C-alpha cells in the first residue's frame, strides 16, 4: 500500500494562548501549540486556526489541505446546528427547558415574554431565568411546566414563532419487555404506592376472585362452617365418652 504524504504548511507567525484550559487542540504545530483548535460556546462549538487565511503568517492557503480543512470544518459546525435543534426535543411529563441560543436569530426582543402553543392553540406560559455558564458569562434560560400532550409546540413571542419544541413519548414506554418486580415496585414507590398494597398475579390466578377479595375482603363463612363442624365433632366425642362412663 502506497503511503500518502500530506504537505504541511510553513508557519512563520502563529497565534498562541496564554491558557489552553478551554481549548481542545485538533491539529498541533511542531512546537506543541494548537494549529486548529475547538472550543465549546453555549450550545455550540467554535473552530479556530492559529493563522489567518492570508500569506502574511504562513503559506497555508497555498497548500492542498486548505480547502478540505475549510470544507470539513463548515460541515462539522453545521452539524452542531442540527444537534441544537434536536436538543429541543422533550418527553411528556418532564419539564421544558431551552436556552436563548436555541432560538431563531429573528428573536431580538428578550424583554417580551414567551409562551408555548400546541396544535389546538392552547397556551402554556414560559418563564425566563438567568444562569451562569462559566467565566462570568450569563445565559437566559426558558422553562415551563411539564407538557403531557404529545406533539410539536410553537414558541411564540406575541404572534411570531421563534422556535419549535417537540414533546415525545419515552422510548422505554414502548418497550414490550416485561418489567422485573424491583422495577415496577420502584415506580410505584415514587408515586406513593407501598409494596404492601400491591398484589402480583400469576397467569393461572383467578383475577375475578382476587379483585373481589381486594374490594370486599376475604369471605370467612367457609372458615366458620369448618370450625362449627369441628366443634360439633368434639361435642359428639365428649358426649359419647360420658355415656360409657
Amino acid at each position: 500500500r502506497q503511503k500518502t504524504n500530506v504537505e504541511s504548511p510553513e508557519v512563520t507567525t502563529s497565534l498562541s494562548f496564554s491558557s489552553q484550559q478551554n481549548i481542545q487542540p485538533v491539529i498541533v504545530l511542531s512546537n506543541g501549540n494548537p494549529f486548529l483548535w475547538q472550543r465549546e460556546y453555549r450550545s455550540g462549538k467554535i473552530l479556530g486556526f492559529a493563522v489567518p487565511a492570508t500569506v502574511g503568517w504562513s503559506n497555508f492557503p497555498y497548500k492542498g489541505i486548505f480547502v478540505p480543512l475549510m470544507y470539513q470544518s463548515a460541515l462539522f459546525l453545521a452539524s452542531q446546528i442540527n444537534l441544537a435543534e434536536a436538543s429541543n426535543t422533550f418527553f411528556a411529563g418532564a419539564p421544558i427547558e431551552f436556552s436563548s441560543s436555541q432560538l431563531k436569530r429573528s428573536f431580538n426582543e428578550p424583554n417580551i415574554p414567551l409562551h408555548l402553543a400546541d396544535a389546538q392553540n392552547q397556551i402554556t406560559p414560559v418563564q425566563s431565568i438567568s444562569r451562569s455558564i462559566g467565566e462570568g458569562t450569563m445565559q437566559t434560560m426558558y422553562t415551563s411546566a411539564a407538557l403531557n400532550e404529545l406533539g410539536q409546540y410553537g414558541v411564540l413571542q406575541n404572534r411570531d414563532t421563534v422556535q419549535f419544541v417537540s414533546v415525545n413519548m419515552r422510548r422505554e414506554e414502548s418497550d414490550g419487555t416485561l418489567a422485573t418486580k424491583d422495577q415496577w415496585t420502584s415506580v410505584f414507590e415514587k408515586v406513593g404506592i407501598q409494596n404492601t398494597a400491591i398484589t402480583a398475579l400469576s397467569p393461572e390466578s383467578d383475577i375475578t376472585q382476587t379483585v373481589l377479595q381486594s374490594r370486599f375482603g376475604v369471605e370467612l363463612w367457609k372458615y366458620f362452617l369448618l370450625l362449627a363442624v369441628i366443634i360439633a365433632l368434639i361435642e359428639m366425642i365428649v358426649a359419647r365418652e360420658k355415656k360409657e362412663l
Side-chain angles (χ1 to χ4, degrees):
R1 183 178 177 180
Q2 186 177 2
K3 184 181 293 185
T4 303
N5 294 323
V6 178
E7 187 179 3
S8 301
E10 297 178 2
V11 179
T12 57
T13 306
S14 64
L15 177 69
S16 61
F17 299 92
S18 58
S19 175
Q20 299 183 13
Q21 182 177 1
N22 299 319
I23 299 297
Q24 181 180 356
V26 179
I27 301 176
V28 296
L29 297 172
S30 58
N31 60 2
N33 291 332
F35 175 74
L36 173 61
W37 49 267
Q38 172 184 302
R39 178 180 178 181
E40 295 186 359
Y41 180 73
R42 295 184 178 179
S43 61
K45 297 181 184 296
I46 299 175
L47 286 179
F49 289 88
V51 296
T54 59
V55 296
W57 289 13
S58 70
N59 62 352
F60 177 47
Y62 293 155
K63 296 299 179 179
I65 62 172
F66 176 77
V67 173
L69 273 180
M70 292 296 176
Y71 178 72
Q72 293 298 329
S73 299
L75 288 181
F76 174 75
L77 294 177
S79 67
Q80 300 306 308
I81 297 176
N82 295 331
L83 289 177
E85 293 177 353
S87 64
N88 281 356
T89 300
F90 304 94
F91 298 108
I96 304 298
E97 181 176 291
F98 54 91
S99 65
S100 57
S101 61
Q102 295 173 274
L103 300 177
K104 293 181 179 180
R105 293 184 178 180
S106 59
F107 174 71
N108 53 11
E109 297 291 342
N111 295 326
I112 301 178
L114 302 178
H115 57 271
L116 298 173
D118 61 8
Q120 288 73 36
N121 204 28
Q122 295 180 348
I123 302 301
T124 301
V126 175
Q127 297 179 344
S128 62
I129 59 175
S130 296
R131 179 179 299 172
S132 174
I133 58 174
E135 300 182 358
T137 303
M138 302 298 293
Q139 186 178 47
T140 302
M141 303 294 298
Y142 297 93
T143 63
S144 76
L147 302 177
N148 297 320
E149 296 294 330
L150 304 180
Q152 192 173 54
Y153 292 74
V155 182
L156 305 181
Q157 185 183 55
N158 291 333
R159 296 184 178 181
D160 298 328
T161 302
V162 295
Q163 190 55 283
F164 290 96
V165 296
S166 299
V167 177
N168 299 322
M169 181 175 64
R170 292 184 182 275
R171 181 181 301 176
E172 296 83 356
E173 296 184 16
S174 59
D175 187 358
T177 305
L178 293 177
T180 63
K181 181 179 179 180
D182 293 337
Q183 288 175 335
W184 52 259
T185 299
S186 175
V187 171
F188 287 141
E189 288 179 350
K190 290 180 180 179
V191 296
I193 301 176
Q194 300 300 322
N195 190 24
T196 55
I198 303 172
T199 301
L201 299 178
S202 63
E204 298 79 13
S205 301
D206 187 350
I207 298 179
T208 303
Q209 187 66 22
T210 305
V211 172
L212 290 175
Q213 289 180 1
S214 65
R215 293 179 61 186
F216 305 108
V218 179
E219 296 181 353
L220 300 179
W221 67 270
K222 297 179 181 180
Y223 301 99
F224 283 111
L225 178 59
L226 179 61
L227 180 61
V229 173
I230 294 175
I231 294 175
L233 291 175
I234 295 175
E235 289 180 350
M236 293 174 60
I237 295 173
V238 172
R240 182 176 180 181
E241 290 179 352
K242 286 184 178 181
K243 289 181 180 181
E244 291 178 352
L245 291 176

